[in-house]
Amino acid sequence: MIDTTKDMGRGMLSMFKRFDHIRIGGYMQPQYQFASEKGAKGYSGGDFSPKSNNRFMLRRGRVRFDYMHFNEMDQPTVQFAIQFDGTERGVNIRDLWGRVFENKWQMFMVTGGMFARPFGYEINLSSSDREAPERGRMSQILMRTERDLGAMVSFEPREKNHPLRYLKIDIGAFNGQGLTGPAEYDSYKDIIAHIGLKPYPLTKKLTLSGGVSMLRGGLANPTKYIYKMGDGAAGKQFLVDSSEDNVDSRTPREYGGADMQWKYKTGWGNTELRGEYWFGKQTGTKNSTETPGTLPNEPFYIRKFSGAFICFLQHIVNTSNQLVVKYDWYDPNTSVSGKNIGKEGTQFTPADIKYSTLGFGYVRYINQNLKLFLWYDRVTNESTSLKGYTEDLPDDVFTCRLQFRF
């Protein structure tokens, strides 16, 4: 008779060793919000219903599974991640990617699938770690859903004493429309690159990190019409190019960016200052500067944009209490401003209006699994000649949020 006990034991040990490399984590963010008026529009969790100025909502409900395989030298070889987001609006996949590690020099990685685009700082700061309830308006419009489908090569030395251990370089190719559409609709891809300095100790108390980013992409023009800014009879306005050669031609999405973060250790905890600036060209439609999720049957409009955020964070008394002040702005069309927006014959819409947001609040770290946010967003738009936008809109929002994390 054959004794299978040893084989069964080896099998069980192998299974436990395999599943010991699985990590499960997640968080949930129920919140209550109060807006300045019913039907307020904005980027603090989305627009309010036309007859409501307050709401309970589940902003995010995430569960993530990670699997990491190690070789006999205890070096990572393969990583797999999948993350789901469930709210009252439904369940969606937020991350689904695999990563291969190079172990000869321990410096390179290749990632493929659905994952966050390697552009800037705020896009890649997890919603569970961020001290402000939401990313800035510019980040939400230009990088909606943060993720995209693509492949990326990364340089990040893993040896403890490597001379370039503070350097991280990512470069990848992506579909371009993010998760806003069902599938890629043209042949043009976004090439995105980021060169970053990981937190570097300038002194025992002060660390510095930062980076520069670049995106070069484009969209296939669906019609023969392309609208660009120029000088017309009414001054700065959209002028149309109606050449037949414009059909399926590449219209630009070209971004540049820089970010920097300072952290200083104090007796109470940390004092931090973060900043980020973006600029470039964006192809959108007449009424939106978002990258279309599906190819629209209408002309494209090309605008120059700029935007930024600066955030100050201060622990008070101890690391369980934190005050945060954040200012961000997004100007979707830097070629025009103020009362020139809406002048007759200029083709401008609310999509050309500059917005700025002053947010401030208190974060209470109750324990390692529970966090409280009390936050107020003061939103300001420039006054224009457009009907309904001749003065600042009443769209401020107060947010009270609990974050449960495991």
Side-chain angles (χ1 to χ4, degrees):
M1 184 173 68
I2 299 174
D3 184 0
T4 61
T5 304
K6 291 183 179 179
D7 291 333
M8 291 176 63
R10 291 192 191 100
M12 291 294 290
L13 181 61
S14 176
M15 183 182 71
F16 279 121
K17 184 176 181 181
R18 177 184 178 187
F19 285 96
D20 186 51
H21 296 160
I22 291 180
R23 294 184 302 166
I24 303 175
Y27 60 98
M28 179 178 65
Q29 297 175 337
Q31 65 186 31
Y32 172 78
Q33 291 184 304
F34 187 90
S36 297
E37 72 170 8
K38 294 179 180 179
K41 299 182 181 299
Y43 288 82
S44 298
D47 298 346
F48 282 73
S49 298
K51 296 184 180 298
S52 174
N53 67 347
N54 68 93
R55 64 189 177 191
F56 286 100
M57 66 184 301
L58 185 58
R59 183 64 182 94
R60 298 174 182 89
R62 305 280 175 86
V63 178
R64 175 167 165 163
F65 299 84
D66 282 81
Y67 172 76
M68 182 85 79
H69 180 268
F70 296 85
N71 62 18
E72 63 278 2
M73 302 288 291
D74 204 30
Q75 298 169 328
T77 60
V78 173
Q79 182 182 3
F80 170 80
I82 182 170
Q83 181 174 210
F84 299 94
D85 181 32
T87 70
E88 72 275 15
R89 299 174 296 280
V91 178
N92 297 286
I93 295 176
R94 300 295 291 181
D95 289 287
L96 184 55
W97 52 265
R99 178 172 292 157
V100 179
F101 295 85
E102 169 275 318
N103 282 311
K104 182 177 181 179
W105 299 288
Q106 298 187 56
M107 291 190 294
F108 298 96
M109 300 173 288
V110 177
T111 306
M114 180 193 303
F115 56 97
R117 289 170 272 203
F119 192 96
Y121 175 80
E122 189 175 51
I123 291 296
N124 290 274
L125 180 60
S126 170
S127 300
S128 63
D129 297 326
R130 197 175 55 246
E131 296 83 1
E134 305 296 339
R135 294 178 176 87
R137 180 181 296 256
M138 175 179 64
S139 297
Q140 293 189 51
I141 290 177
L142 297 180
M143 296 281 187
R144 187 179 174 189
T145 71
E146 300 89 51
R147 283 96 171 154
D148 202 349
L149 284 163
M152 177 177 73
V153 177
S154 301
F155 171 85
E156 185 177 12
R158 300 193 297 278
E159 288 186 0
K160 184 177 180 180
N161 296 316
H162 195 283
L164 299 177
R165 62 189 180 276
Y166 291 104
L167 182 65
K168 187 174 188 296
I169 301 174
D170 299 307
I171 181 168
F174 300 84
N175 278 346
Q177 80 268 34
L179 308 185
T180 59
E184 171 70 304
Y185 52 70
D186 62 20
S187 297
Y188 299 114
K189 298 293 180 283
D190 285 355
I191 304 301
I192 305 177
H194 181 262
I195 301 175
L197 174 70
K198 294 190 287 187
Y200 181 82
L202 297 176
T203 68
K204 290 183 177 181
K205 292 187 175 183
L206 180 64
T207 60
L208 168 68
S209 57
V212 292
S213 303
M214 179 274 293
L215 182 152
R216 289 294 180 271
L219 302 174
N221 190 43
T223 72
K224 69 176 184 178
Y225 303 105
I226 299 177
Y227 286 84
K228 303 176 183 179
M229 288 297 299
D231 293 313
K236 286 287 184 180
Q237 63 184 80
F238 281 113
L239 302 177
V240 63
D241 177 355
S242 57
S243 170
E244 294 290 345
D245 293 336
N246 289 333
V247 178
D248 290 334
S249 65
R250 178 185 174 277
T251 53
R253 295 178 62 243
E254 300 174 352
Y255 310 168
D259 62 90
M260 185 173 291
Q261 304 83 45
W262 298 81
K263 180 186 289 187
Y264 184 78
K265 294 182 180 179
T266 68
W268 285 352
N270 296 314
T271 300
E272 296 185 56
L273 185 65
R274 304 170 185 166
E276 185 164 1
Y277 174 72
W278 295 8
F279 64 95
K281 292 181 181 180
Q282 171 69 351
T283 292
T285 60
K286 181 176 182 178
N287 295 303
S288 175
T289 60
E290 284 188 359
T291 300
T294 57
L295 197 61
N297 188 24
E298 59 179 300
F300 275 153
Y301 285 67
I302 301 173
R303 300 171 173 92
K304 292 183 178 180
F305 73 88
S306 67
F309 85 82
I310 184 167
C311 185
F312 174 78
L313 308 95
Q314 176 65 61
H315 285 118
I316 53 173
V317 181
N318 53 47
T319 55
S320 296
N321 302 278
Q322 191 174 42
L323 295 179
V324 185
V325 180
K326 180 182 179 184
Y327 177 78
D328 74 76
W329 55 269
Y330 173 53
D331 188 348
N333 190 342
T334 57
S335 300
V336 66
S337 62
K339 296 299 182 179
N340 289 320
I341 300 176
K343 291 176 65 175
E344 187 175 353
T346 56
Q347 298 274 354
F348 296 125
T349 71
D352 298 287
I353 298 174
K354 177 182 177 180
Y355 281 81
S356 60
T357 303
L358 175 62
F360 51 91
Y362 168 74
V363 183
R364 169 68 178 178
Y365 299 87
I366 300 172
N367 55 50
Q368 64 179 358
N369 303 110
L370 184 61
K371 183 165 60 172
L372 169 69
F373 294 82
L374 298 174
W375 189 267
Y376 189 86
D377 276 324
R378 174 73 177 94
V379 185
T380 305
N381 58 272
E382 61 181 332
S383 298
T384 73
S385 299
L386 289 172
K387 183 179 179 180
Y389 295 88
T390 56
E391 57 186 24
D392 186 37
L393 301 176
D395 49 3
D396 299 353
V397 178
F398 168 76
T399 301
C400 177
R401 171 187 293 176
L402 279 175
Q403 176 175 290
F404 301 86
R405 185 174 183 177
F406 69 94

